[in-house]
Amino acid sequence: MSQQELKKAGLKATVPRLKILKILEAKQGKHMRAEDVYKCLLASDEDIGLATVYRVLTQFEQAGLVVRHHFDGGHSVFELDQGEHHDHMLCVKCGRVDEFVDDIIEERQKAIAEQGGYKITDHSLHIYGVCPACQKNAA
Amino acid sequence: MSQQELKKAGLKATVPRLKILKILEAKQGKHMRAEDVYKCLLASDEDIGLATVYRVLTQFEQAGLVVRHHFDGGHSVFELDQGEHHDHMLCVKCGRVDEFVDDIIEERQKAIAEQGGYKITDHSLHIYGVCPACQKNAA
DNA sequence: CCACTAATGCAAAAGCTTCTCATTTCTATA
DNA sequence: TATAGAAATGAGAAGCTTTTGCATTAGTGG
Ligand SMILES: [Mn+2]
Ligand SMILES: [Mn+2]
Ligand SMILES: [Zn+2]
Ligand SMILES: [Zn+2]
């Protein structure tokens, strides 16, 4: 029950938070903007404000329930924290997003941080390109 | 003379473009926001609008004179194109930015794109952490 | 030096996100 | 279960960065 998840995260189990969590669970693997979540709520006839969506997503992020990414374009996208970190490869034509993990890159990053004396807290790696489908379309 | 650089890039050699290019050259190695460039212009008593700064920076980017980055925080930063690509490591406390290149990572990225069938156009790697100086401050 | 076109400054507007505050909802407790 | 206090919410205003419209100005080729 998600009621417990919220309590465990130190958050009151309110209707907006439960609904938003459910939406994120339903769209697992997708990367949603606040606006997208809001539209889902509207479609479900929920009377929840956009401001609340932003507030809740930020709280979820701080609680470790979701991860926020800053893809090019100037807005944040969110996804349920799947437990293990991954990076992203994005199609600049259609917006498709692929996820990947590369141990060698992860390791090199740690080495670079250490070499610079940084205590690493986070990192983001985005590969931009044209996906196979869009390459075919262009040809 | 920067007059030539602009012509070569297919851009008219106007006063705003010359001034902005000079500022970027003066601050080589720094990462400036449009607002930062604008403040420099004001400090030099130049009567150039912020809108023009944004327009010119975008043109410079398209002409390959400058590179635009999207660091966390929702705004763009620009730097003169130094000819060879590099990635960034940023201090989350003081905003310090270090640059680095890692051939192994570059190579792995290409391999990942190829494996996914993507034709890679660009990529960004940001390592966030606490720099040596800020670690000392905290202790 | 002129005429033509491109570029500029300013103000308005757009897009995303945060804030304010009156009102509502949780939750702990009796 | 009823209640009081604290936390959360909805609606709209406001904040920030960036873009756009338009009248005016400034480069450029001839
Ligand atoms: Mn993802
Ligand atoms: Mn740089
Ligand atoms: Zn595509
Ligand atoms: Zn620092």
Side-chain angles (χ1 to χ4, degrees):
Chain A
M1 201 49 188
S2 27
Q3 205 112 343
Q4 313 311 321
E5 285 189 69
L6 291 177
K7 290 279 178 66
K8 201 165 47 179
L11 297 169
K12 272 209 234 176
T14 65
V15 170
R17 299 213 260 239
L18 288 166
K19 299 290 185 191
I20 292 171
L21 189 51
K22 187 180 299 180
I23 286 174
L24 291 172
E25 280 163 350
K27 302 268 178 159
Q28 204 148 9
K30 297 265 189 256
H31 302 83
M32 305 186 80
R33 304 197 284 171
E35 185 80 32
D36 298 328
V37 173
Y38 180 60
K39 284 203 196 106
C40 282
L41 290 167
L42 288 185
S44 316
D45 275 317
E46 298 296 339
D47 196 13
I48 293 172
L50 180 55
T52 297
V53 175
Y54 275 103
R55 274 188 296 240
V56 168
L57 286 173
T58 299
Q59 292 156 352
F60 283 5
E61 182 193 12
Q62 288 166 345
L65 294 175
V66 311
V67 182
R68 178 199 304 253
H69 305 291
H70 300 273
F71 294 163
D72 273 13
H75 53 259
S76 297
V77 297
F78 302 83
E79 65 178 327
L80 217 53
D81 190 342
Q82 300 153 344
E84 54 189 66
H85 162 83
H86 61 259
D87 290 304
H88 298 92
M89 178 156 61
L90 305 94
C91 177
V92 296
K93 297 286 183 196
C94 68
R96 171 177 162 184
V97 180
D98 286 79
E99 307 182 332
F100 68 87
V101 185
D102 188 278
D103 292 333
I104 296 173
I105 290 178
E106 298 293 324
E107 196 180 303
R108 289 298 306 147
Q109 286 180 150
K110 280 188 196 127
I112 290 162
E114 191 168 347
Q115 192 174 328
Y118 273 66
K119 185 172 287 178
I120 192 169
T121 60
D122 196 12
H123 71 93
S124 76
L125 169 54
H126 302 153
I127 298 177
Y128 297 94
V130 183
C131 76
C134 287
Q135 285 176 51
K136 235 168 227 158
N137 276 12
Chain B
M1 201 51 187
S2 27
Q3 207 111 342
Q4 312 313 322
E5 285 189 68
L6 291 177
K7 290 279 178 65
K8 202 165 48 181
L11 297 169
K12 271 206 231 177
T14 66
V15 170
R17 300 212 260 239
L18 287 166
K19 299 290 186 192
I20 291 171
L21 189 51
K22 187 181 299 180
I23 286 174
L24 291 171
E25 279 163 353
K27 303 267 178 161
Q28 203 149 9
K30 298 267 189 253
H31 302 82
M32 306 185 78
R33 304 197 283 170
E35 185 79 31
D36 299 327
V37 174
Y38 180 60
K39 285 202 194 106
C40 282
L41 290 168
L42 289 185
S44 317
D45 275 318
E46 297 297 339
D47 196 15
I48 293 173
L50 180 55
T52 297
V53 174
Y54 275 103
R55 275 188 294 238
V56 168
L57 287 173
T58 299
Q59 292 156 354
F60 282 6
E61 182 194 13
Q62 289 166 345
L65 294 175
V66 311
V67 182
R68 179 199 303 254
H69 304 292
H70 299 274
F71 294 163
D72 274 14
H75 52 258
S76 297
V77 298
F78 302 83
E79 66 178 326
L80 218 52
D81 190 342
Q82 299 152 345
E84 54 189 64
H85 162 83
H86 61 259
D87 290 305
H88 298 91
M89 178 156 62
L90 305 94
C91 177
V92 296
K93 297 286 183 197
C94 68
R96 171 178 162 184
V97 181
D98 286 80
E99 307 184 331
F100 67 88
V101 185
D102 189 277
D103 292 333
I104 296 173
I105 290 178
E106 298 293 324
E107 196 180 303
R108 288 299 304 148
Q109 286 179 150
K110 279 187 198 128
I112 290 161
E114 192 168 348
Q115 192 173 329
Y118 273 66
K119 185 173 290 180
I120 192 169
T121 61
D122 195 13
H123 71 93
S124 78
L125 170 54
H126 301 154
I127 298 177
Y128 296 94
V130 183
C131 76
C134 288
Q135 285 176 51
K136 237 168 223 156
N137 276 12

